[in-house]
Amino acid sequence: MKRALSARGVVLGLPRPEISRRDVLDLRLDPDGEQADHRVGDLGVRVSLWSPGVAAKFEPLREPDKPSTVPSGVVRWFDVDPRGTEPSDDDVHELTARLKTWCPGLNKIMVRDLLTPDVQPKTETYGDERTGVRTISIPALIAREVPDDDDDFDEIDEQLIVQMVEMVIGPGWLITCWHRSRTLVGRGEVHDGLPLLQEPFMSYVSYRWTQDTKVRSGSGEPNGAGDLGAYLARSLVATYGASLRMFQRWVSSWEVEFYKTLGDQGGHASQSRPGERKTLKAAAVEISNFLSLVGEFSRSVNAFKLAGEEMPNDTWFAEHEGARKGDPTKTVHTDESAALTSSVDAATAKLAQLSEEIRADMDLLMLQSQARQQESSERLQGYLGKVTGLVLVPTFVAGLFGANTALPEGGTWAGFVIMVVLMVVSAAISYVVIRKLMR
């Protein structure tokens, strides 16, 4: 497995001598591999020609290439390098001019939409609602953890990587653009990076394309551009389930560590007060980061779900669906389309459950914090009661000797000594009595 990942430019962030199937691995792009040569801001275009049952590899698009040289029934897939920022008019004009002869129906509006990085998923339909060109942005959401010595709770930094992929799909052609990734590290911090995991997702599409050689149900046509888009979309959406399992493990680990820490400190009440306050603060920061990451995850998934629901006839890809006989406004949903919708719905349901668990843990943390504050308040009141008791009786003795009445040895040094002795003895007796009552 390690050799297979290395061949695709993926390496382990932390090498391990042994790996079990239950381990969570930190996979990263090999900085010495081909991915390191990826240049952001270069409008490079690669093309691959997909014939039925035969996967293709991307090659640079050469200017002399003409669409007339492509056999009939072959899907043309173009992959465009991102700009990293808002595209200029020259970028849009250049890319449109290079691809419009290959992609019937493509215009500058679609190209600008393709090159513009979207913060949240969205979809657009151009032309006929059932067979027109469609644009769709799909986020891959990858949860990962990296060692962090500055993390006071568990020395692990939990992160969420958002990889947005823009697609334009028309009759017989597909254009994709892998925009720069965003890494959320909690506390509102976001780090931009290079596009990630393009090769593994492409490999999944190649596998599905070669395995699903049967014609689409009810259409009598071979797999087309819509099928390629559906395969890619399913591979990106598949990250939701894995990331949700990672989130669930983080929340469970937080609960175990939280109870364990409080249990360890419970037997050292007098020495552990500063440690308890530090633990509660670190736990609050940790659960706050969880809520921040899950919130971004939820926004992306819900936006993608809504974008899919806004597509005409509730379909993701126009060419992926076949029209019902006698009613061109309705469509027959294929297994791929139904599976994609089902995956998004399942992720939405699990997200709601996960959010409730995190909020329950936040309530638990708040109750624990309130309990600690109440305990500190009661302890302070106890100290004030002891001080008051210690001061009250000696003050009474001093007030008694200061009364303007006749007292034994009044006005003499012997009387002063008697008063001091009575104050000390009464304070000691008060301390013993209060201590017994406080137990």
Side-chain angles (χ1 to χ4, degrees):
M1 180 181 294
K2 182 178 180 181
R3 288 194 298 268
L5 291 174
S6 179
R8 293 294 183 178
V10 181
V11 296
L12 285 176
L14 292 176
R16 301 184 182 182
E18 295 182 358
I19 300 175
S20 71
R21 62 189 181 92
R22 293 183 176 87
D23 289 341
V24 177
L25 304 179
D26 177 22
L27 300 180
R28 305 180 183 181
L29 293 179
D30 187 357
D32 299 326
E34 295 180 358
Q35 292 288 346
D37 297 331
H38 185 90
R39 295 177 293 172
V40 177
D42 179 16
L43 266 180
V45 181
R46 291 163 298 281
V47 61
S48 59
L49 305 178
W50 297 68
S51 57
V54 179
K57 293 184 178 181
F58 284 98
E59 296 180 355
L61 178 63
R62 298 182 295 271
E63 297 303 330
D65 292 341
K66 299 296 181 182
S68 58
T69 61
V70 179
S72 176
V74 173
V75 179
R76 304 175 293 278
W77 185 350
F78 301 90
D79 187 64
V80 182
D81 286 339
R83 298 298 294 170
T85 57
E86 292 289 331
S88 65
D89 292 339
D90 292 338
D91 294 334
V92 175
H93 177 75
E94 174 190 347
L95 186 59
T96 305
R98 294 183 66 181
L99 296 181
K100 65 181 181 180
T101 56
W102 291 83
C103 307
L106 184 68
N107 57 40
K108 291 183 178 180
I109 298 178
M110 303 175 193
V111 172
R112 182 176 295 276
D113 190 22
L114 175 75
L115 297 178
T116 303
D118 293 330
V119 178
Q120 294 294 337
K122 66 180 184 64
T123 58
E124 292 288 345
T125 301
Y126 301 89
D128 183 79
E129 287 192 349
R130 188 176 64 82
T131 60
V133 178
R134 298 190 182 187
T135 64
I136 181 171
S137 52
I138 307 175
L141 304 171
I142 302 101
R144 72 172 184 181
E145 56 186 24
V146 295
D148 184 6
D149 295 336
D150 295 332
D151 191 296
D152 296 330
F153 189 75
D154 56 5
E155 297 184 348
I156 294 177
D157 187 19
E158 294 80 9
Q159 302 177 354
L160 176 66
I161 301 176
V162 181
Q163 173 62 67
M164 189 71 72
V165 180
E166 302 269 356
M167 288 194 289
V168 183
I169 303 178
W173 54 269
L174 166 68
I175 308 174
T176 56
C177 181
W178 296 68
H179 288 283
R180 291 176 62 82
S181 62
R182 295 184 298 121
T183 302
L184 288 75
V185 297
R187 300 176 297 277
E189 296 183 21
V190 181
H191 301 158
D192 289 339
L194 295 175
L196 297 176
L197 303 176
Q198 185 173 4
E199 281 298 324
F201 290 130
M202 293 295 190
S203 298
Y204 173 84
V205 174
S206 298
Y207 174 79
R208 292 298 307 274
W209 180 265
T210 56
Q211 295 299 315
D212 295 349
T213 56
K214 60 182 180 180
V215 298
R216 283 175 286 163
S217 176
S219 66
E221 299 176 1
N223 295 343
D227 297 279
L228 280 177
Y231 296 152
L232 179 58
R234 286 198 63 186
S235 68
L236 296 171
V237 171
T239 60
Y240 301 172
S243 296
L244 284 170
R245 290 191 293 272
M246 178 71 82
F247 277 125
Q248 186 66 56
R249 190 177 69 83
W250 288 346
V251 172
S252 299
S253 299
W254 181 91
E255 294 172 349
V256 172
E257 187 67 23
F258 182 69
Y259 282 114
K260 179 181 177 182
T261 304
L262 292 182
D264 291 342
Q265 294 177 347
H268 306 83
S270 60
Q271 295 87 359
S272 62
R273 300 307 172 190
E276 288 184 12
R277 290 193 293 270
K278 183 178 180 181
T279 298
L280 290 175
K281 181 178 179 180
V285 171
E286 190 86 353
I287 203 69
S288 175
N289 289 341
F290 288 171
L291 192 61
S292 174
L293 297 182
V294 171
E296 178 64 24
F297 193 104
S298 179
R299 284 189 291 271
S300 297
V301 173
N302 288 328
F304 183 57
K305 176 180 173 64
L306 292 176
E309 293 175 351
E310 292 174 356
M311 297 292 262
N313 303 329
D314 296 327
T315 62
W316 292 95
F317 306 102
E319 197 181 32
H320 193 73
E321 313 294 342
R324 292 183 184 272
K325 294 181 180 180
D327 191 350
T329 63
K330 295 183 179 180
T331 55
V332 179
H333 294 270
T334 64
D335 293 340
E336 290 297 326
S337 175
L340 182 59
T341 302
S342 177
S343 297
V344 176
D345 291 341
T348 303
K350 292 178 181 178
L351 266 172
Q353 180 181 357
L354 180 62
S355 298
E356 291 180 359
E357 292 181 7
I358 293 179
R359 294 188 183 279
D361 286 336
M362 294 185 70
D363 293 340
L364 170 66
L365 181 63
M366 184 177 298
L367 290 174
Q368 190 67 35
S369 178
Q370 291 176 350
R372 288 290 182 266
Q373 292 178 359
Q374 183 177 359
E375 182 181 348
S376 298
S377 178
E378 293 175 353
R379 191 181 306 113
L380 178 60
Q381 292 178 0
Y383 291 152
L384 292 176
K386 291 180 181 179
V387 172
T388 302
L390 291 175
V391 173
L392 180 62
V393 178
T395 302
F396 172 76
V397 174
L400 179 64
F401 273 82
N404 191 18
T405 59
L407 293 171
E409 304 295 335
T412 64
W413 284 106
F416 173 76
V417 172
I418 294 173
M419 182 186 69
V420 171
V421 172
L422 288 175
M423 291 175 65
V424 173
V425 172
S426 63
I429 295 174
S430 299
Y431 174 77
V432 173
V433 174
I434 293 175
R435 185 173 182 181
K436 288 183 178 181
L437 294 176
M438 292 293 294
R439 290 180 178 177

